[in-house]
Amino acid sequence: MARIPAPGASRFADVTAHLMAGPPVAVVNACTRHGEGGSPTTVVIDDAVLTDDERHAIARGAGTSHTAFVDTSTADVPRVRFFTSAGELTNCGHGIIAAQAVLLQRSGGTEHRGRQFTAGRTFATTAIRRHDGIEVWFDQGVIALADGADATSGDIIAALGLERTDIAADVRVASPGTPRLLIPVRDRRTLLSIQPDYDRLATECRRLGYLGCFAYALSPTARTGAARMFAPAIGVDEDIANANSVGCLAAHLLDTTGNGAIEIHQGDGLQSPSSVSASATYTADGIVARIGGVVGLSAPHVP
């Protein structure tokens, strides 16, 4: 990645000034819980006019963990890409939810059933206006599941500040395109007590090829639970909401218990409660999931 120029040294300064002057850019709260909290997410309608260096620079300066760049110039299927301070991501679940909510808000409509192109595939999306925001659902696609023995035999559990006795069941690798670890812990108290060594965790995740670690604790009903997502390897120490990982968890639960419906709460330790729902089903191609969340639109304007 090229060095980010200082303001005034290149076209990035012009782009920044343009965005600040009232361009198609919004910061919305993705995956709110009961109308509160959520993950602040920047959405930029750039229609492929920005360079990747400019997108990276905007993501670094946006003040949010993730930025979605939406190209609406491609007929009725917008292309959406995602950047963090560390660079481009292949995918971002809560970023998809944020982008689709902004597109519905911009249209002035109350409901839209459409499609989006991200990470080399086109998938279905639904956005519906509600009294407390915009509810968005999207099809995550096929989720690959595998044993996560290398995590428990290596240094990742220690990097999370956990002991093996804190792990409640088998650790699994889940990948909707990018693998991450699903780590069940004994209870919510254990979950909230996690204090990772972020540098060590980033090193281990990069070494093993993982996006991050999704630690979770299920309620007795197993239809709700709490989770925390640690992804320092991609520049996000802790994610307020990680929708793709909730879809991965739904796939894992379907595979192991036969129940593929789950609602996961995150963000409590970060004073920004979030909620993501997912439902997994079997198909001829494998386990797929549908993911949903509500976007609050009371944060900075949506043009």
Side-chain angles (χ1 to χ4, degrees), residues 124-178:
T125 62
T126 300
I128 303 171
R129 191 180 300 276
R130 298 184 356 176
H131 71 280
D132 58 347
I134 294 176
E135 180 178 357
V136 177
W137 288 84
F138 69 93
D139 293 334
Q140 186 180 24
V142 176
I143 301 159
L145 297 168
D147 178 41
D150 59 346
T152 51
S153 63
D155 293 330
I156 282 188
I157 300 302
L160 287 168
L162 295 173
E163 303 289 340
R164 294 190 184 182
T165 54
D166 294 321
I167 309 305
D170 291 339
V171 174
R172 298 198 83 183
V173 180
S175 177
T178 306

Side-chain angles (χ1 to χ4, degrees), residues 82-200:
F82 306 99
F83 285 75
T84 70
S85 61
E88 184 171 10
L89 292 180
T90 302
N91 206 337
C92 174
H94 74 269
I96 292 172
I97 291 171
Q100 288 298 321
V102 168
L103 289 174
L104 180 65
Q105 181 78 348
R106 283 168 56 84
S107 75
T110 59
E111 181 174 344
H112 178 70
R113 299 179 186 274
R115 295 179 296 162
Q116 177 178 313
F117 181 83
T118 290
R121 73 181 188 96
T122 300
F123 51 91
T125 62
T126 300
I128 303 171
R129 191 180 300 276
R130 298 184 356 176
H131 71 280
D132 58 347
I134 294 176
E135 180 178 357
V136 177
W137 288 84
F138 69 93
D139 293 334
Q140 186 180 24
V142 176
I143 301 159
L145 297 168
D147 178 41
D150 59 346
T152 51
S153 63
D155 293 330
I156 282 188
I157 300 302
L160 287 168
L162 295 173
E163 303 289 340
R164 294 190 184 182
T165 54
D166 294 321
I167 309 305
D170 291 339
V171 174
R172 298 198 83 183
V173 180
S175 177
T178 306
R180 77 280 322 275
L181 283 174
L182 306 179
I183 302 177
V185 298
R186 289 180 299 175
D187 49 35
R188 192 172 184 273
R189 181 177 179 179
T190 302
L191 179 72
L192 294 176
S193 73
I194 296 175
Q195 295 183 327
D197 179 333
Y198 289 114
D199 289 339
R200 184 179 180 186

Side-chain angles (χ1 to χ4, degrees), residues 153-286:
S153 63
D155 293 330
I156 282 188
I157 300 302
L160 287 168
L162 295 173
E163 303 289 340
R164 294 190 184 182
T165 54
D166 294 321
I167 309 305
D170 291 339
V171 174
R172 298 198 83 183
V173 180
S175 177
T178 306
R180 77 280 322 275
L181 283 174
L182 306 179
I183 302 177
V185 298
R186 289 180 299 175
D187 49 35
R188 192 172 184 273
R189 181 177 179 179
T190 302
L191 179 72
L192 294 176
S193 73
I194 296 175
Q195 295 183 327
D197 179 333
Y198 289 114
D199 289 339
R200 184 179 180 186
L201 184 60
T203 297
E204 287 303 305
C205 284
R206 292 189 186 110
R207 181 177 69 84
L208 296 169
Y210 297 139
L211 175 81
C213 297
F214 190 70
Y216 66 93
L218 299 179
S219 70
T221 65
R223 290 188 177 272
T224 60
R228 297 175 69 186
M229 178 62 173
F230 305 103
I234 62 168
V236 182
D237 284 350
E238 181 169 358
D239 212 351
I240 292 172
N242 195 280
N244 276 325
S245 292
V246 177
C248 289
L249 178 58
H252 162 67
L253 294 174
L254 178 66
D255 184 53
T256 55
T257 71
N259 170 32
I262 190 73
E263 178 183 336
I264 289 294
H265 294 169
Q266 287 183 251
D268 291 336
L270 299 172
Q271 288 75 54
S272 187
S274 70
S275 178
V276 179
S277 296
S279 179
T281 56
Y282 289 107
T283 72
D285 297 322

